[in-house]
Amino acid sequence: FADARLNAQAALILDLSSGKTLYSYNTGRKLYPASMTKLLTAITAIEYGTEGLTFTVGTEIKLLGLNSSTAGLEAGDQLTFPMLLDLMMLPSGNDASYVVAAHIGRLSLENDDASDAEAVAEFARMMNETARELGAENSHFTNPDGYHDPEHYSTAEDMLLIPQRAMEIPSIRES
């Protein structure tokens, strides 16, 4: 299947009803997943447990990369996880991803005083654990938003597993 219009470094098309691969190209090649990362951020947060949590925006939003897409969050804003999920998905809010990551990272560390960087690093560790549980063995995540980092990568094969799991979670599917 050669198509001069294909402008991708890798591709994988799957018929979800049959599970049959319809097209694959370079599916094992390591690439940068960009904002697809936010699906794994959402899955990881939900699997940790976000029911009833209120998130307060803090200094973690200063960790955003230059020219990041944001949802316009400001320090002191208080939001529920469903609100943050919408802000991660709809405007691709990197700031919302960092709020979730820092909050849940601190909960996992059981340390409210952990620095923003420590909390986000803990959340990235959790993301990698979640990815491995999904079978995404050729991926490594360093941040919750997908901002470029040479050590933040995935493959088309792995990136198929993440949205498949996301679509099983009603709050993500409806977001």
Side-chain angles (χ1 to χ4, degrees):
F1 179 115
D3 188 335
R5 296 173 295 177
L6 179 64
N7 186 17
Q9 295 178 26
L12 181 58
I13 301 172
L14 182 76
D15 178 345
L16 292 177
S17 60
S18 70
K20 181 180 176 187
T21 299
L22 303 176
Y23 176 74
S24 66
Y25 169 72
N26 253 353
T27 58
R29 182 176 179 185
K30 287 184 180 179
L31 299 167
Y32 303 115
S35 284
M36 288 283 294
T37 300
K38 291 181 185 86
L39 284 175
L40 183 60
T41 295
I43 293 166
T44 302
I46 288 168
E47 290 186 356
Y48 181 84
T50 56
E51 186 72 31
L53 291 180
T54 298
F55 296 75
T56 302
V57 179
T59 56
E60 68 277 350
I61 59 175
K62 293 180 181 178
L63 296 175
L64 292 173
L66 185 64
N67 297 319
S68 282
S69 61
T70 69
L73 298 178
E74 296 180 8
D77 289 346
Q78 292 193 330
L79 304 115
T80 63
F81 181 74
M83 294 165 77
L84 285 167
L85 181 60
D86 285 346
L87 294 172
M88 280 193 300
M89 298 299 156
L90 299 175
S92 195
N94 292 356
D95 48 355
S97 297
Y98 272 93
V99 171
V100 169
H103 187 89
I104 293 184
R106 285 187 181 97
L107 289 174
S108 176
L109 291 169
E110 298 180 356
N111 181 358
D112 291 340
D113 296 323
S115 72
D116 296 332
E118 290 168 331
V120 170
E122 170 63 9
F123 189 80
R125 184 199 64 74
M126 296 167 69
M127 290 173 68
N128 286 305
E129 185 176 296
T130 300
R132 282 189 299 279
E133 289 169 2
L134 296 174
E137 298 289 332
N138 297 304
S139 297
H140 185 260
F141 298 89
T142 62
N143 62 62
D145 63 349
Y147 196 83
H148 180 72
D149 178 308
E151 295 303 314
H152 189 97
Y153 57 83
S154 191
T155 65
E157 290 170 333
D158 284 0
M159 287 311 293
L160 178 64
L161 299 170
I162 294 167
Q164 283 180 312
R165 174 65 182 122
M167 289 302 99
E168 296 171 357
I169 301 171
S171 57
I172 296 174
R173 190 176 57 246
E174 296 162 7
S175 188

